Amino acid sequence: MFLKNQWLKLVAYVVFALGLRFIIVDYMLEGTTEWWIQSLAIMIIFVVGIGFVFRGTAKVIEETTDVLKDRTKLAGGFLQAMGTAFPDMVIGVMAAIISLQVRDTDYLRAVNLAIIAASTTFGSNVYNILHAVWCIYRQNLANARKKTVLMFPPFKAGGRLKPVKDHTIKPSVKEMDGAIRILTALTLLTAFVAISMVLFGRVKDSANIYGGDLYQLVLPVGIALFLMAVGTLYVFRKSDRPESPVAEIREEERYYDKKSSMRIWADLLLAGVAILFAAESMVKSMETFSHLTHIPFVITGILAGLIGCMGEMIVVHNFSVNPKGRIGDAIVGVGMDNIVTIMGASIVAIMGGIFLGGNSLILIFVIILAANTLLIEQIARFKNYLVR
């Protein structure tokens, strides 16, 4: 049960994350050159990191955001994003820190780590936006057919989506309008990043250093991007959804509803610590994975982005298949999550540790902008069912 020994579960997440970082990484991943031991270490890091640490902490974030929303009057999606964006942002920042540490001794490795930082940060945006597109598309299909549909047909394990008319609590039209505005702001921020990298961030002699075009976010752009991201989060920080009726609060949320705010923030702090150390282990494992498989670092970083955004995807999925008015939080959370990761990218840029190759730069940003457009269209369709 989720409720039993919840504090011990959080401690366990931290202990396992520390074990990954200081035992598996130090003694198995970096303490040997045997490929099969390193491969085993990578597998352990992925299985424990995703299947236990990230999945468990995502549930804590999911179950506390509605309670904190009512107490702080902040948007549930905003609070959700602060937690779920943390993994991919931390993976990117940790990659940048390691990159800076080796820049003077191994510049090519520093560039490769910086590429992991960037592709993780922006790659995660691709995954959770497209996943949200699918969730809302399936919801709209249920609305149009006026019957329950599977999230991932023909598999029943993914859950079912009810028509919005059958939802216990319906999201508000105002929430949908806010989600569209947030995604529009995300589109503009993403376009700003892409344009500024191309116009001001081309690295001289990158062909000699990297073997192809290389772009970075320069310091002034990083500072401007940080201020814009923080400003956007501040503008959309307030909630557009009324307080949840007590009768509709799930058992897990009622558990936190009876706890003090200090206890809730302490739980979130422990979840953040667990995510931090698990993320650092994953950065190191992804670097070793690239060396073992000879897969380009930008591809490795994009794969790491999937790891980082797993928490957001789990929350969006759960809020979709358990319709109690939280779909609005989920959609807002997706936009907020990606703005937080862009803020993380700006921090990495200020640190001087973010790069992207030419072709990957174009592909990642084109996909993000296209995905944003698709999600806005699906939200607009969903909104139409609310006003009928």
Side-chain angles (χ1 to χ4, degrees):
M1 287 288 290
F2 173 80
L3 302 182
K4 292 181 179 178
N5 301 318
Q6 177 63 4
W7 185 258
L8 292 179
K9 283 188 177 183
L10 284 162
V11 173
Y13 299 147
V14 175
V15 170
F16 272 83
L18 291 172
L20 292 178
R21 172 59 188 87
F22 295 106
I23 297 177
I24 304 299
V25 170
D26 286 354
Y27 292 98
M28 294 181 64
L29 193 69
E30 297 181 341
T32 181
T33 57
E34 294 288 343
W35 68 268
W36 66 271
I37 296 179
Q38 291 180 325
S39 299
L40 179 61
I42 292 171
M43 187 179 302
I44 293 172
I45 290 170
F46 273 62
V47 171
V48 176
I50 297 175
F52 184 68
V53 178
F54 279 3
R55 186 177 180 182
T57 53
K59 190 167 184 64
V60 173
I61 293 165
E62 174 189 343
E63 305 301 352
T64 56
T65 51
D66 208 36
V67 176
L68 286 176
K69 175 191 71 66
D70 292 340
R71 293 185 184 182
T72 63
K73 306 306 179 185
L74 295 173
F78 173 80
L79 293 166
Q80 169 191 321
M82 289 297 104
T84 56
F86 197 62
D88 41 310
M89 185 172 76
V90 169
I91 290 174
V93 171
M94 291 308 304
I97 291 173
I98 299 171
S99 172
L100 293 173
Q101 290 173 345
V102 301
R103 177 164 294 186
D104 293 335
T105 57
D106 191 343
Y107 189 74
L108 181 58
R109 184 191 175 200
V111 168
N112 288 333
L113 284 164
I115 289 174
I116 289 178
S119 52
T120 296
T121 301
F122 295 113
S124 67
N125 290 8
V126 173
Y127 294 117
N128 58 28
I129 295 174
L130 288 177
H131 176 259
V133 170
W134 178 258
C135 289
I136 306 305
Y137 162 72
R138 296 300 296 176
Q139 178 62 63
N140 285 331
L141 189 64
N143 297 340
R145 294 180 178 178
K146 298 181 180 180
K147 65 179 184 179
T148 300
V149 301
L150 295 174
M151 176 68 84
F152 301 113
F155 307 105
K156 296 181 180 180
R160 302 172 184 270
L161 293 165
K162 297 180 181 179
V164 69
K165 65 181 181 65
D166 297 331
H167 287 195
T168 308
I169 303 174
K170 295 178 177 64
S172 68
V173 172
K174 192 174 182 181
E175 280 184 283
M176 298 301 104
D177 288 336
I180 290 173
R181 288 195 299 271
I182 290 169
L183 289 168
T184 302
L186 175 62
T187 299
L188 294 175
L189 285 173
T190 304
F192 173 77
V193 173
I195 292 170
S196 61
M197 281 186 118
V198 172
L199 292 181
F200 310 112
R202 190 176 186 279
V203 178
K204 294 181 180 179
D205 300 324
S206 59
N208 296 329
I209 300 170
Y210 179 68
D213 290 335
L214 192 64
Y215 297 88
Q216 64 177 329
L217 276 175
V218 296
L219 180 60
V221 172
I223 294 173
L225 183 63
F226 177 81
L227 294 175
M228 286 190 290
V230 171
T232 303
L233 292 173
Y234 180 79
V235 169
F236 294 106
R237 72 193 186 281
K238 293 294 185 181
S239 175
D240 289 322
R241 189 163 71 91
E243 291 190 9
S244 303
V246 174
E248 300 300 337
I249 298 176
R250 285 190 290 167
E251 184 183 7
E252 294 90 347
E253 291 165 347
R254 188 175 296 113
Y255 167 80
Y256 274 113
D257 194 49
K258 296 177 181 178
K259 301 299 179 182
S260 66
S261 297
M262 183 175 295
R263 165 64 194 277
I264 294 175
W265 287 114
D267 281 16
L268 289 176
L269 178 62
L270 279 178
V273 171
I275 290 170
L276 177 66
F277 285 103
E280 184 180 359
S281 301
M282 288 179 181
V283 170
K284 292 179 180 292
S285 68
M286 295 306 285
E287 183 186 10
T288 303
F289 178 77
S290 280
H291 285 302
L292 291 175
T293 61
H294 305 290
I295 293 176
F297 280 86
V298 65
I299 303 299
T300 302
I302 293 173
L303 293 174
L306 176 60
I307 298 167
C309 71
M310 194 66 67
E312 175 66 27
M313 293 171 69
I314 291 171
V315 171
V316 172
H317 180 273
N318 290 347
F319 284 174
S320 299
V321 299
N322 298 300
K324 292 188 177 180
R326 303 298 299 277
I327 293 179
D329 279 346
I331 300 171
V332 171
V334 169
M336 289 285 195
D337 180 282
N338 293 339
I339 291 173
V340 171
T341 58
I342 286 180
M343 183 176 70
S346 69
I347 294 172
V348 175
I350 293 170
M351 294 165 60
I354 193 165
F355 293 97
L356 271 178
N359 291 335
S360 59
L361 171 75
I362 295 170
L363 289 174
I364 289 175
F365 287 113
V366 167
I367 293 172
I368 291 175
L369 293 173
N372 279 347
T373 303
L374 289 173
L375 185 53
I376 289 172
E377 190 269 341
Q378 289 298 322
I379 293 172
R381 286 186 58 199
F382 183 72
K383 177 183 171 183
N384 290 336
Y385 290 105
L386 295 175
V387 298
R388 287 177 184 176

